[in-house]
Amino acid sequence: MAFDGIVIAGLVKELNDKLAGGRITKIAQTEKDELLFTVKGPRDTFRLLLSANASLPLAYLTDVSKPSPLTAPNFCMLLRKHIGGGRICSVSQPGLERCIHFEIEHLDEMGDLCRKLLIVELMGKHSNIIFCTPQLRIIDSIKHISFQVSSVREVLPGRDYFLPRTVEKSDPLSVSEEDMAALFASSKLPAGKTVYTGFTGISPVMAEEFCHLASIDSSVPAMELSEAERVHLAHTLARCLELVREGDFEPCIVFKGDEPLEFAALSLTSYPPSCSVRRFESISRVLETYYSSKNTITRIRQKSSDLRRIVQTALERNYKKLDLQLKQLKDTEKRDKYRVYGELINIYGYELSGGEKELSCIDFYTDAPARIPLDPQLNARENAQKYFDKYNKLKRAFEALKELTQETKREIGHLESISASLDIALKEEDLTQIKQELTEYGFIKKHGPSGKKERITSRPFHYRSTDGFDIYVGKNNYQNEELTFKIASGNDWWFHAKGIPGSHVIVKADGRDLTDRTFEEAGALAAYYSKGRGSEKVEIDYIQKKHIKKVAGAAPGFVIYHTNYSMVAVPKTALVEQI
């Protein structure tokens, strides 16, 4: 993710605009490494979240309040003592470092006006919140770091504060275009890597974006670029950094369907058309939206992990079974050869006197010479019967295996459709019907007497097309079945990804003719809610519901149709409004 110095610069501008001059009315330590400030400004009251969590360091303005422990931790009590009721004078950032300085004015025990610094370092596992004097002497920190933990810097009360520099990088805000071009000319690293390893505060995502804006392949070594390309890349980088200096930010999140992929403080243009870019008014809103969406997806994947494991285990077992069945089925292909051998021995067997190991004759099916191995201890009739027995045995095996392979393929298709349902589940209640289906079809064993069934609260996705048509998307096989055979009427339109597991998409026609745009939007939804959602394009079958038939004895949601239209769609949900 691009939580780099450029994002911090956008955040600092936002915090400075909204919090400078505001008074700190409340300080809470909601987690061992997280603080929540309430700041009352001239017009509004804001909540400022500061987190030094090693896996997810954050700082943003939020509307959400979090419960505090009954007894405040020592660091929280110290902050309340010194800066409770204090005024935030300014919020700043040293260069493009991932660090925020809050300068706070307050009254000391004697009633004299003095200032303190609250420094928030957002540096992954090295993140910290440090409280200092104006002379950068550490008063305390939310995490104490001794020399036993870090040989680079101690973070303990009484120590001097400094920002460690473990890697030599230049501050891009103070480097000229000529120096940038010179750095590119001497670097053996790829152009993209040269940008983010040579300059402070630039992430790989933004380095890729700068190369894309300069129309340069980021994987080509920087020193192999032509002089014109190096100058153009330096100019592009300088122009973007000028936007940072001027505070001209464009906070955005890149989505792939409903899943957020990346965020940035400047516009991102290097992603493919299958991704959508959503712009926001503030960096705080970007961070809150991105991480809440990510947390939702992560949480539901954790909740569904047991179901995924059951489905994956069953799939692997069926894949192996199918391979074995297909191999055995291939072995039965020689059955007709044994039948022909038996028939030829019956026809030409009068020529045999006994004891021969081979019969040479003409195959009357092909008019080609044939050489048939014989058992010299058997007569002609017994050799023919031996081949007929082999033929009958392989014929029975072929018929049994043909049915078994079809059954295994149906089970694989069923499991793959359940796997696709797990991929689109967004809430815990979406998993209830999936678990119910796995239990009903024997993939999950029932334990004890069957009690009350879990209440089903999950409903199909409901969208409205640009032209006002209602579109419904099933989240699982039961919902697909219900949509197609209970909710849809004869003239409604049915959409599904061709040849791959996916959701049934129903467009309610309500007696109207669908517009071309509605067909495209419904096709995009069918592509997105299928196993092909990661592809650039997906082929979609669509047909009126009256031509859809249910497969007798098949799992829910499996249908057949003989005439249909086809289209190619890009997997997207952003085209339509979700209800």
mmCIF file of all heavy atoms in Angstrom, residues 239-284:
data_model
loop_
_atom_site.group_PDB
_atom_site.id
_atom_site.type_symbol
_atom_site.label_atom_id
_atom_site.label_comp_id
_atom_site.label_asym_id
_atom_site.label_seq_id
_atom_site.Cartn_x
_atom_site.Cartn_y
_atom_site.Cartn_z
ATOM 1 N N ARG A 239 7.415 17.720 -11.337
ATOM 2 C CA ARG A 239 6.080 18.317 -11.497
ATOM 3 C C ARG A 239 5.100 17.759 -10.470
ATOM 4 O O ARG A 239 4.299 18.495 -9.889
ATOM 5 C CB ARG A 239 5.576 18.045 -12.917
ATOM 6 C CG ARG A 239 4.366 18.898 -13.307
ATOM 7 C CD ARG A 239 3.972 18.712 -14.766
ATOM 8 N NE ARG A 239 3.407 17.401 -15.009
ATOM 9 C CZ ARG A 239 3.951 16.452 -15.750
ATOM 10 N NH1 ARG A 239 5.126 16.685 -16.332
ATOM 11 N NH2 ARG A 239 3.382 15.292 -15.946
ATOM 12 N N CYS A 240 5.171 16.467 -10.208
ATOM 13 C CA CYS A 240 4.284 15.850 -9.205
ATOM 14 C C CYS A 240 4.637 16.322 -7.795
ATOM 15 O O CYS A 240 3.754 16.556 -6.963
ATOM 16 C CB CYS A 240 4.379 14.326 -9.292
ATOM 17 S SG CYS A 240 3.690 13.648 -10.817
ATOM 18 N N LEU A 241 5.925 16.477 -7.538
ATOM 19 C CA LEU A 241 6.338 16.951 -6.212
ATOM 20 C C LEU A 241 5.951 18.412 -6.003
ATOM 21 O O LEU A 241 5.741 18.852 -4.868
ATOM 22 C CB LEU A 241 7.849 16.760 -6.043
ATOM 23 C CG LEU A 241 8.293 15.290 -5.934
ATOM 24 C CD1 LEU A 241 9.807 15.193 -5.992
ATOM 25 C CD2 LEU A 241 7.769 14.663 -4.643
ATOM 26 N N GLU A 242 5.844 19.168 -7.090
ATOM 27 C CA GLU A 242 5.379 20.553 -6.988
ATOM 28 C C GLU A 242 3.925 20.590 -6.507
ATOM 29 O O GLU A 242 3.535 21.466 -5.738
ATOM 30 C CB GLU A 242 5.519 21.249 -8.347
ATOM 31 C CG GLU A 242 5.260 22.755 -8.310
ATOM 32 C CD GLU A 242 6.208 23.491 -7.365
ATOM 33 O OE1 GLU A 242 7.387 23.075 -7.243
ATOM 34 O OE2 GLU A 242 5.765 24.466 -6.743
ATOM 35 N N LEU A 243 3.136 19.600 -6.946
ATOM 36 C CA LEU A 243 1.751 19.483 -6.454
ATOM 37 C C LEU A 243 1.743 19.228 -4.949
ATOM 38 O O LEU A 243 0.894 19.753 -4.223
ATOM 39 C CB LEU A 243 1.026 18.340 -7.183
ATOM 40 C CG LEU A 243 0.819 18.483 -8.690
ATOM 41 C CD1 LEU A 243 0.183 17.218 -9.258
ATOM 42 C CD2 LEU A 243 -0.072 19.696 -8.998
ATOM 43 N N VAL A 244 2.708 18.423 -4.482
ATOM 44 C CA VAL A 244 2.813 18.141 -3.041
ATOM 45 C C VAL A 244 3.168 19.422 -2.288
ATOM 46 O O VAL A 244 2.582 19.725 -1.249
ATOM 47 C CB VAL A 244 3.864 17.038 -2.788
ATOM 48 C CG1 VAL A 244 4.065 16.827 -1.289
ATOM 49 C CG2 VAL A 244 3.455 15.732 -3.458
ATOM 50 N N ARG A 245 4.133 20.178 -2.806
ATOM 51 C CA ARG A 245 4.514 21.448 -2.155
ATOM 52 C C ARG A 245 3.331 22.403 -2.060
ATOM 53 O O ARG A 245 3.142 23.076 -1.041
ATOM 54 C CB ARG A 245 5.631 22.134 -2.952
ATOM 55 C CG ARG A 245 7.003 21.544 -2.760
ATOM 56 C CD ARG A 245 8.068 22.481 -3.321
ATOM 57 N NE ARG A 245 9.310 21.792 -3.521
ATOM 58 C CZ ARG A 245 9.662 21.174 -4.650
ATOM 59 N NH1 ARG A 245 8.837 21.176 -5.684
ATOM 60 N NH2 ARG A 245 10.817 20.551 -4.754
ATOM 61 N N GLU A 246 2.555 22.460 -3.135
ATOM 62 C CA GLU A 246 1.432 23.408 -3.175
ATOM 63 C C GLU A 246 0.194 22.887 -2.445
ATOM 64 O O GLU A 246 -0.793 23.599 -2.308
ATOM 65 C CB GLU A 246 1.063 23.701 -4.635
ATOM 66 C CG GLU A 246 2.158 24.446 -5.398
ATOM 67 C CD GLU A 246 1.848 24.546 -6.879
ATOM 68 O OE1 GLU A 246 0.808 23.979 -7.296
ATOM 69 O OE2 GLU A 246 2.632 25.191 -7.609
ATOM 70 N N GLY A 247 0.252 21.630 -1.986
ATOM 71 C CA GLY A 247 -0.907 21.058 -1.290
ATOM 72 C C GLY A 247 -2.054 20.736 -2.218
ATOM 73 O O GLY A 247 -3.214 20.684 -1.788
ATOM 74 N N ASP A 248 -1.747 20.473 -3.483
ATOM 75 C CA ASP A 248 -2.791 20.171 -4.471
ATOM 76 C C ASP A 248 -2.924 18.652 -4.592
ATOM 77 O O ASP A 248 -2.383 18.028 -5.498
ATOM 78 C CB ASP A 248 -2.406 20.793 -5.822
ATOM 79 C CG ASP A 248 -3.530 20.689 -6.839
ATOM 80 O OD1 ASP A 248 -4.630 20.245 -6.458
ATOM 81 O OD2 ASP A 248 -3.303 21.053 -8.009
ATOM 82 N N PHE A 249 -3.654 18.050 -3.652
ATOM 83 C CA PHE A 249 -3.764 16.593 -3.586
ATOM 84 C C PHE A 249 -5.072 16.103 -4.211
ATOM 85 O O PHE A 249 -6.062 16.826 -4.247
ATOM 86 C CB PHE A 249 -3.684 16.121 -2.131
ATOM 87 C CG PHE A 249 -2.363 16.425 -1.481
ATOM 88 C CD1 PHE A 249 -2.218 17.525 -0.636
ATOM 89 C CD2 PHE A 249 -1.263 15.632 -1.720
ATOM 90 C CE1 PHE A 249 -1.007 17.817 -0.040
ATOM 91 C CE2 PHE A 249 -0.035 15.910 -1.125
ATOM 92 C CZ PHE A 249 0.092 17.009 -0.288
ATOM 93 N N GLU A 250 -5.044 14.862 -4.682
ATOM 94 C CA GLU A 250 -6.244 14.202 -5.224
ATOM 95 C C GLU A 250 -6.368 12.834 -4.555
ATOM 96 O O GLU A 250 -6.018 11.807 -5.144
ATOM 97 C CB GLU A 250 -6.147 14.024 -6.736
ATOM 98 C CG GLU A 250 -6.206 15.314 -7.531
ATOM 99 C CD GLU A 250 -6.207 15.044 -9.035
ATOM 100 O OE1 GLU A 250 -7.115 14.337 -9.497
ATOM 101 O OE2 GLU A 250 -5.284 15.519 -9.709
ATOM 102 N N PRO A 251 -6.873 12.786 -3.311
ATOM 103 C CA PRO A 251 -6.975 11.502 -2.602
ATOM 104 C C PRO A 251 -7.878 10.531 -3.365
ATOM 105 O O PRO A 251 -8.942 10.905 -3.842
ATOM 106 C CB PRO A 251 -7.603 11.883 -1.258
ATOM 107 C CG PRO A 251 -7.383 13.356 -1.118
ATOM 108 C CD PRO A 251 -7.388 13.907 -2.507
ATOM 109 N N CYS A 252 -7.428 9.274 -3.497
ATOM 110 C CA CYS A 252 -8.213 8.311 -4.259
ATOM 111 C C CYS A 252 -7.927 6.893 -3.785
ATOM 112 O O CYS A 252 -6.914 6.622 -3.139
ATOM 113 C CB CYS A 252 -7.925 8.434 -5.756
ATOM 114 S SG CYS A 252 -6.220 8.050 -6.196
ATOM 115 N N ILE A 253 -8.866 5.994 -4.125
ATOM 116 C CA ILE A 253 -8.698 4.559 -3.887
ATOM 117 C C ILE A 253 -8.962 3.844 -5.198
ATOM 118 O O ILE A 253 -9.916 4.154 -5.909
ATOM 119 C CB ILE A 253 -9.667 4.034 -2.807
ATOM 120 C CG1 ILE A 253 -9.445 4.739 -1.463
ATOM 121 C CG2 ILE A 253 -9.496 2.520 -2.627
ATOM 122 C CD1 ILE A 253 -10.398 4.299 -0.375
ATOM 123 N N VAL A 254 -8.107 2.874 -5.522
ATOM 124 C CA VAL A 254 -8.321 2.031 -6.696
ATOM 125 C C VAL A 254 -9.056 0.775 -6.242
ATOM 126 O O VAL A 254 -8.597 0.080 -5.332
ATOM 127 C CB VAL A 254 -6.985 1.649 -7.363
ATOM 128 C CG1 VAL A 254 -7.225 0.715 -8.539
ATOM 129 C CG2 VAL A 254 -6.243 2.893 -7.817
ATOM 130 N N PHE A 255 -10.199 0.504 -6.866
ATOM 131 C CA PHE A 255 -10.997 -0.679 -6.543
ATOM 132 C C PHE A 255 -10.953 -1.658 -7.704
ATOM 133 O O PHE A 255 -10.964 -1.268 -8.869
ATOM 134 C CB PHE A 255 -12.464 -0.298 -6.303
ATOM 135 C CG PHE A 255 -12.721 0.397 -4.990
ATOM 136 C CD1 PHE A 255 -12.636 1.774 -4.891
ATOM 137 C CD2 PHE A 255 -13.058 -0.337 -3.864
ATOM 138 C CE1 PHE A 255 -12.878 2.420 -3.695
ATOM 139 C CE2 PHE A 255 -13.308 0.300 -2.664
ATOM 140 C CZ PHE A 255 -13.219 1.675 -2.571
ATOM 141 N N LYS A 256 -10.941 -2.938 -7.364
ATOM 142 C CA LYS A 256 -11.198 -3.987 -8.344
ATOM 143 C C LYS A 256 -12.510 -4.621 -7.931
ATOM 144 O O LYS A 256 -12.563 -5.435 -7.026
ATOM 145 C CB LYS A 256 -10.081 -5.025 -8.369
ATOM 146 C CG LYS A 256 -10.237 -5.993 -9.532
ATOM 147 C CD LYS A 256 -8.946 -6.737 -9.803
ATOM 148 C CE LYS A 256 -9.056 -7.493 -11.119
ATOM 149 N NZ LYS A 256 -7.818 -8.207 -11.429
ATOM 150 N N GLY A 257 -13.588 -4.163 -8.567
ATOM 151 C CA GLY A 257 -14.921 -4.547 -8.096
ATOM 152 C C GLY A 257 -15.195 -3.839 -6.786
ATOM 153 O O GLY A 257 -15.125 -2.613 -6.695
ATOM 154 N N ASP A 258 -15.492 -4.624 -5.743
ATOM 155 C CA ASP A 258 -15.754 -4.049 -4.421
ATOM 156 C C ASP A 258 -14.516 -4.048 -3.536
ATOM 157 O O ASP A 258 -14.544 -3.526 -2.426
ATOM 158 C CB ASP A 258 -16.873 -4.848 -3.714
ATOM 159 C CG ASP A 258 -18.196 -4.712 -4.437
ATOM 160 O OD1 ASP A 258 -18.430 -3.636 -5.016
ATOM 161 O OD2 ASP A 258 -18.987 -5.667 -4.446
ATOM 162 N N GLU A 259 -13.437 -4.663 -4.011
ATOM 163 C CA GLU A 259 -12.240 -4.802 -3.173
ATOM 164 C C GLU A 259 -11.258 -3.675 -3.445
ATOM 165 O O GLU A 259 -10.852 -3.445 -4.578
ATOM 166 C CB GLU A 259 -11.567 -6.146 -3.436
ATOM 167 C CG GLU A 259 -10.367 -6.382 -2.542
ATOM 168 C CD GLU A 259 -9.786 -7.773 -2.717
ATOM 169 O OE1 GLU A 259 -10.353 -8.567 -3.488
ATOM 170 O OE2 GLU A 259 -8.761 -8.061 -2.071
ATOM 171 N N PRO A 260 -10.855 -2.931 -2.381
ATOM 172 C CA PRO A 260 -9.861 -1.868 -2.577
ATOM 173 C C PRO A 260 -8.469 -2.450 -2.779
ATOM 174 O O PRO A 260 -8.039 -3.305 -2.018
ATOM 175 C CB PRO A 260 -9.951 -1.068 -1.268
ATOM 176 C CG PRO A 260 -10.428 -2.043 -0.249
ATOM 177 C CD PRO A 260 -11.285 -3.040 -0.975
ATOM 178 N N LEU A 261 -7.787 -1.998 -3.827
ATOM 179 C CA LEU A 261 -6.445 -2.496 -4.121
ATOM 180 C C LEU A 261 -5.361 -1.588 -3.565
ATOM 181 O O LEU A 261 -4.368 -2.044 -3.015
ATOM 182 C CB LEU A 261 -6.248 -2.623 -5.633
ATOM 183 C CG LEU A 261 -7.047 -3.675 -6.387
ATOM 184 C CD1 LEU A 261 -6.648 -3.676 -7.849
ATOM 185 C CD2 LEU A 261 -6.819 -5.055 -5.790
ATOM 186 N N GLU A 262 -5.548 -0.278 -3.735
ATOM 187 C CA GLU A 262 -4.496 0.672 -3.387
ATOM 188 C C GLU A 262 -5.091 2.044 -3.140
ATOM 189 O O GLU A 262 -6.196 2.342 -3.588
ATOM 190 C CB GLU A 262 -3.485 0.730 -4.540
ATOM 191 C CG GLU A 262 -2.155 1.317 -4.188
ATOM 192 C CD GLU A 262 -1.535 0.644 -2.989
ATOM 193 O OE1 GLU A 262 -0.953 -0.431 -3.121
ATOM 194 O OE2 GLU A 262 -1.671 1.226 -1.876
ATOM 195 N N PHE A 263 -4.374 2.872 -2.398
ATOM 196 C CA PHE A 263 -4.798 4.257 -2.194
ATOM 197 C C PHE A 263 -3.593 5.173 -2.372
ATOM 198 O O PHE A 263 -2.437 4.731 -2.316
ATOM 199 C CB PHE A 263 -5.432 4.449 -0.809
ATOM 200 C CG PHE A 263 -4.462 4.260 0.338
ATOM 201 C CD1 PHE A 263 -3.694 5.314 0.807
ATOM 202 C CD2 PHE A 263 -4.331 3.029 0.960
ATOM 203 C CE1 PHE A 263 -2.807 5.147 1.857
ATOM 204 C CE2 PHE A 263 -3.442 2.848 2.016
ATOM 205 C CZ PHE A 263 -2.685 3.911 2.459
ATOM 206 N N ALA A 264 -3.863 6.444 -2.590
ATOM 207 C CA ALA A 264 -2.775 7.412 -2.776
ATOM 208 C C ALA A 264 -3.315 8.822 -2.557
ATOM 209 O O ALA A 264 -4.529 9.049 -2.568
ATOM 210 C CB ALA A 264 -2.168 7.287 -4.167
ATOM 211 N N ALA A 265 -2.379 9.766 -2.359
ATOM 212 C CA ALA A 265 -2.767 11.169 -2.187
ATOM 213 C C ALA A 265 -2.790 11.899 -3.523
ATOM 214 O O ALA A 265 -3.371 12.978 -3.632
ATOM 215 C CB ALA A 265 -1.790 11.865 -1.233
ATOM 216 N N LEU A 266 -2.136 11.320 -4.531
ATOM 217 C CA LEU A 266 -2.177 11.863 -5.893
ATOM 218 C C LEU A 266 -2.935 10.883 -6.783
ATOM 219 O O LEU A 266 -3.050 9.700 -6.461
ATOM 220 C CB LEU A 266 -0.757 12.071 -6.437
ATOM 221 C CG LEU A 266 0.126 13.062 -5.672
ATOM 222 C CD1 LEU A 266 1.526 13.097 -6.285
ATOM 223 C CD2 LEU A 266 -0.475 14.456 -5.661
ATOM 224 N N SER A 267 -3.430 11.372 -7.887
ATOM 225 C CA SER A 267 -4.238 10.536 -8.776
ATOM 226 C C SER A 267 -3.419 9.357 -9.301
ATOM 227 O O SER A 267 -2.250 9.496 -9.649
ATOM 228 C CB SER A 267 -4.743 11.381 -9.952
ATOM 229 O OG SER A 267 -5.538 10.604 -10.805
ATOM 230 N N LEU A 268 -4.047 8.156 -9.335
ATOM 231 C CA LEU A 268 -3.411 6.953 -9.866
ATOM 232 C C LEU A 268 -3.998 6.636 -11.242
ATOM 233 O O LEU A 268 -5.212 6.512 -11.387
ATOM 234 C CB LEU A 268 -3.634 5.768 -8.914
ATOM 235 C CG LEU A 268 -2.906 5.848 -7.564
ATOM 236 C CD1 LEU A 268 -3.315 4.681 -6.673
ATOM 237 C CD2 LEU A 268 -1.400 5.862 -7.741
ATOM 238 N N THR A 269 -3.131 6.508 -12.244
ATOM 239 C CA THR A 269 -3.596 6.271 -13.619
ATOM 240 C C THR A 269 -2.996 5.012 -14.233
ATOM 241 O O THR A 269 -3.292 4.695 -15.378
ATOM 242 C CB THR A 269 -3.218 7.466 -14.515
ATOM 243 O OG1 THR A 269 -1.778 7.611 -14.528
ATOM 244 C CG2 THR A 269 -3.836 8.759 -14.011
ATOM 245 N N SER A 270 -2.154 4.304 -13.477
ATOM 246 C CA SER A 270 -1.405 3.188 -14.070
ATOM 247 C C SER A 270 -2.139 1.859 -13.986
ATOM 248 O O SER A 270 -1.598 0.838 -14.405
ATOM 249 C CB SER A 270 -0.037 3.063 -13.383
ATOM 250 O OG SER A 270 -0.198 2.885 -11.987
ATOM 251 N N TYR A 271 -3.370 1.838 -13.444
ATOM 252 C CA TYR A 271 -4.097 0.575 -13.297
ATOM 253 C C TYR A 271 -4.936 0.282 -14.539
ATOM 254 O O TYR A 271 -5.365 1.197 -15.239
ATOM 255 C CB TYR A 271 -4.962 0.609 -12.039
ATOM 256 C CG TYR A 271 -4.143 0.445 -10.781
ATOM 257 C CD1 TYR A 271 -3.500 1.535 -10.196
ATOM 258 C CD2 TYR A 271 -3.960 -0.803 -10.211
ATOM 259 C CE1 TYR A 271 -2.719 1.382 -9.061
ATOM 260 C CE2 TYR A 271 -3.175 -0.965 -9.078
ATOM 261 C CZ TYR A 271 -2.560 0.124 -8.515
ATOM 262 O OH TYR A 271 -1.779 -0.038 -7.403
ATOM 263 N N PRO A 272 -5.206 -1.014 -14.824
ATOM 264 C CA PRO A 272 -5.944 -1.384 -16.045
ATOM 265 C C PRO A 272 -7.404 -0.942 -15.996
ATOM 266 O O PRO A 272 -7.929 -0.611 -14.918
ATOM 267 C CB PRO A 272 -5.833 -2.916 -16.077
ATOM 268 C CG PRO A 272 -5.576 -3.309 -14.661
ATOM 269 C CD PRO A 272 -4.773 -2.190 -14.063
ATOM 270 N N PRO A 273 -8.105 -0.938 -17.140
ATOM 271 C CA PRO A 273 -9.502 -0.486 -17.191
ATOM 272 C C PRO A 273 -10.447 -1.310 -16.329
ATOM 273 O O PRO A 273 -11.527 -0.837 -15.965
ATOM 274 C CB PRO A 273 -9.866 -0.635 -18.678
ATOM 275 C CG PRO A 273 -8.574 -0.673 -19.403
ATOM 276 C CD PRO A 273 -7.576 -1.266 -18.472
ATOM 277 N N SER A 274 -10.060 -2.558 -15.991
ATOM 278 C CA SER A 274 -10.933 -3.389 -15.154
ATOM 279 C C SER A 274 -11.017 -2.864 -13.727
ATOM 280 O O SER A 274 -11.883 -3.271 -12.961
ATOM 281 C CB SER A 274 -10.423 -4.834 -15.143
ATOM 282 O OG SER A 274 -9.087 -4.886 -14.672
ATOM 283 N N CYS A 275 -10.102 -1.960 -13.368
ATOM 284 C CA CYS A 275 -10.127 -1.338 -12.036
ATOM 285 C C CYS A 275 -10.793 0.037 -12.137
ATOM 286 O O CYS A 275 -10.725 0.698 -13.161
ATOM 287 C CB CYS A 275 -8.710 -1.174 -11.484
ATOM 288 S SG CYS A 275 -7.836 -2.740 -11.262
ATOM 289 N N SER A 276 -11.435 0.447 -11.037
ATOM 290 C CA SER A 276 -12.065 1.770 -11.004
ATOM 291 C C SER A 276 -11.391 2.626 -9.939
ATOM 292 O O SER A 276 -10.958 2.118 -8.904
ATOM 293 C CB SER A 276 -13.563 1.645 -10.693
ATOM 294 O OG SER A 276 -13.769 0.999 -9.453
ATOM 295 N N VAL A 277 -11.275 3.914 -10.217
ATOM 296 C CA VAL A 277 -10.645 4.856 -9.277
ATOM 297 C C VAL A 277 -11.735 5.736 -8.687
ATOM 298 O O VAL A 277 -12.475 6.396 -9.402
ATOM 299 C CB VAL A 277 -9.584 5.725 -9.986
ATOM 300 C CG1 VAL A 277 -8.961 6.708 -9.001
ATOM 301 C CG2 VAL A 277 -8.505 4.849 -10.613
ATOM 302 N N ARG A 278 -11.831 5.714 -7.350
ATOM 303 C CA ARG A 278 -12.828 6.532 -6.655
ATOM 304 C C ARG A 278 -12.109 7.643 -5.901
ATOM 305 O O ARG A 278 -11.188 7.392 -5.138
ATOM 306 C CB ARG A 278 -13.618 5.654 -5.679
ATOM 307 C CG ARG A 278 -14.758 6.374 -4.983
ATOM 308 C CD ARG A 278 -15.516 5.401 -4.103
ATOM 309 N NE ARG A 278 -16.313 6.070 -3.108
ATOM 310 C CZ ARG A 278 -16.826 5.489 -2.032
ATOM 311 N NH1 ARG A 278 -16.613 4.202 -1.822
ATOM 312 N NH2 ARG A 278 -17.548 6.164 -1.166
ATOM 313 N N ARG A 279 -12.550 8.878 -6.132
ATOM 314 C CA ARG A 279 -11.889 10.042 -5.529
ATOM 315 C C ARG A 279 -12.631 10.480 -4.263
ATOM 316 O O ARG A 279 -13.847 10.331 -4.162
ATOM 317 C CB ARG A 279 -11.817 11.193 -6.534
ATOM 318 C CG ARG A 279 -11.196 10.743 -7.847
ATOM 319 C CD ARG A 279 -10.720 11.857 -8.728
ATOM 320 N NE ARG A 279 -10.233 11.321 -9.990
ATOM 321 C CZ ARG A 279 -9.071 10.712 -10.153
ATOM 322 N NH1 ARG A 279 -8.259 10.600 -9.135
ATOM 323 N NH2 ARG A 279 -8.708 10.240 -11.329
ATOM 324 N N PHE A 280 -11.869 11.041 -3.317
ATOM 325 C CA PHE A 280 -12.418 11.461 -2.027
ATOM 326 C C PHE A 280 -12.015 12.904 -1.740
ATOM 327 O O PHE A 280 -11.047 13.418 -2.317
ATOM 328 C CB PHE A 280 -11.898 10.558 -0.906
ATOM 329 C CG PHE A 280 -12.400 9.146 -0.964
ATOM 330 C CD1 PHE A 280 -11.848 8.238 -1.866
ATOM 331 C CD2 PHE A 280 -13.425 8.720 -0.139
ATOM 332 C CE1 PHE A 280 -12.310 6.933 -1.934
ATOM 333 C CE2 PHE A 280 -13.887 7.414 -0.192
ATOM 334 C CZ PHE A 280 -13.335 6.523 -1.086
ATOM 335 N N GLU A 281 -12.742 13.513 -0.823
ATOM 336 C CA GLU A 281 -12.452 14.903 -0.459
ATOM 337 C C GLU A 281 -11.273 15.009 0.489
ATOM 338 O O GLU A 281 -10.630 16.053 0.558
ATOM 339 C CB GLU A 281 -13.685 15.543 0.183
ATOM 340 C CG GLU A 281 -14.850 15.724 -0.779
ATOM 341 C CD GLU A 281 -16.043 16.388 -0.115
ATOM 342 O OE1 GLU A 281 -15.960 16.665 1.102
ATOM 343 O OE2 GLU A 281 -17.050 16.614 -0.803
ATOM 344 N N SER A 282 -11.010 13.965 1.259
ATOM 345 C CA SER A 282 -9.939 14.063 2.253
ATOM 346 C C SER A 282 -9.170 12.754 2.356
ATOM 347 O O SER A 282 -9.700 11.678 2.077
ATOM 348 C CB SER A 282 -10.516 14.413 3.626
ATOM 349 O OG SER A 282 -11.191 13.294 4.176
ATOM 350 N N ILE A 283 -7.912 12.870 2.773
ATOM 351 C CA ILE A 283 -7.074 11.696 3.002
ATOM 352 C C ILE A 283 -7.640 10.854 4.141
ATOM 353 O O ILE A 283 -7.604 9.619 4.096
ATOM 354 C CB ILE A 283 -5.625 12.132 3.343
ATOM 355 C CG1 ILE A 283 -4.942 12.705 2.100
ATOM 356 C CG2 ILE A 283 -4.818 10.962 3.879
ATOM 357 C CD1 ILE A 283 -4.550 11.674 1.080
ATOM 358 N N SER A 284 -8.176 11.506 5.178
ATOM 359 C CA SER A 284 -8.749 10.766 6.307
ATOM 360 C C SER A 284 -9.848 9.831 5.843
ATOM 361 O O SER A 284 -9.932 8.673 6.268
ATOM 362 C CB SER A 284 -9.301 11.735 7.358
ATOM 363 O OG SER A 284 -8.256 12.430 7.996
#
